[in-house]
Amino acid sequence: MESNKVTVKILGQPYTIAGEKPIEEIEKIANYVDDKMQTISKMIKDGTPGRTAILCAINTAEDYFDALEKIEMLRAAKEQVEKDANHYLQMWEEAKKSFLAYKDNAIKAQDSKKATDERLRQLQDKCREFENSFFDLQMENIQLKDQIDKLKKNNQYER
C-alpha cells in the first residue's frame, strides 16, 4: 500500500505524519488534534506540551469511548428496527394471504349467489305456473258451479 506523507503543525510545532489514508484525511485528523490541544492549553495554567498531550489523549479517549457507546446504542436500535421491520413484513404477508383468501371467498360467494339467483328465478317461474294453473282451476270450478246451478234449476223446473 502507498504511504502518504504530510507535514502538519500541532501547537505550533511541525510534525511529519505518514499513513495510508489520503493526505486530506491525515490533515483533518492532525487539525482535530491541534484544535483539542489548543483548547486544553488555553484552559490550563502550566500547560507544558507533555501535560497538554496527556490531557488531549484523555479527552480523545473519552470521545472514543462515548462514540463506542453511541455505536452500540445505534447497533441495538438497528437490530430493533430490523426486528420490527421483519415483524411488519410478516404481518404484511399474512394480510396479503388473508386478502387473497377473502377475495377467493368473495368470488365463491358471487358464484353461489348467481346459482342461488338462477334457482330463485326457476322457482319463481314454477310459482307463476302454479298460480296460473290455480287461477285456471278456479275459473273452471266457477264454470262448473254455474253449470251445476243451471242443471239444478232445469231439474227443478222439470219436476
Side-chain angles (χ1 to χ4, degrees), residues 3-92:
S3 181
N4 293 316
K5 285 185 179 182
V6 64
T7 301
V8 296
K9 284 190 175 187
I10 297 176
L11 284 180
Q13 295 294 314
Y15 293 92
T16 301
I17 300 174
E20 294 176 357
K21 295 192 180 265
I23 291 173
E24 295 81 19
E25 200 167 334
I26 293 171
E27 288 174 337
K28 180 180 169 184
I29 293 168
N31 286 334
Y32 174 81
V33 172
D34 184 49
D35 287 345
K36 280 259 189 204
M37 289 188 69
Q38 293 285 349
T39 302
I40 291 170
S41 70
K42 289 177 186 173
M43 295 174 131
I44 57 175
K45 296 190 186 227
D46 59 344
T48 64
R51 182 168 183 187
T52 302
I54 296 286
L55 291 174
C56 180
I58 290 172
N59 283 332
T60 303
E62 180 183 17
D63 291 345
Y64 170 77
F65 285 108
D66 287 348
L68 285 179
E69 189 176 317
K70 284 181 185 177
I71 288 170
E72 189 52 41
M73 286 173 39
L74 290 172
R75 189 173 288 132
K78 177 185 172 245
E79 287 175 11
Q80 185 61 46
V81 166
E82 287 174 351
K83 193 184 292 183
D84 291 347
N86 287 334
H87 173 72
Y88 290 122
L89 285 173
Q90 183 180 1
M91 286 176 62
W92 174 251

Side-chain angles (χ1 to χ4, degrees), residues 97-110:
K97 286 177 188 174
S98 294
F99 174 75
L100 291 175
Y102 166 79
K103 186 177 174 183
D104 287 345
N105 288 339
I107 289 170
K108 288 176 186 174
Q110 283 179 333

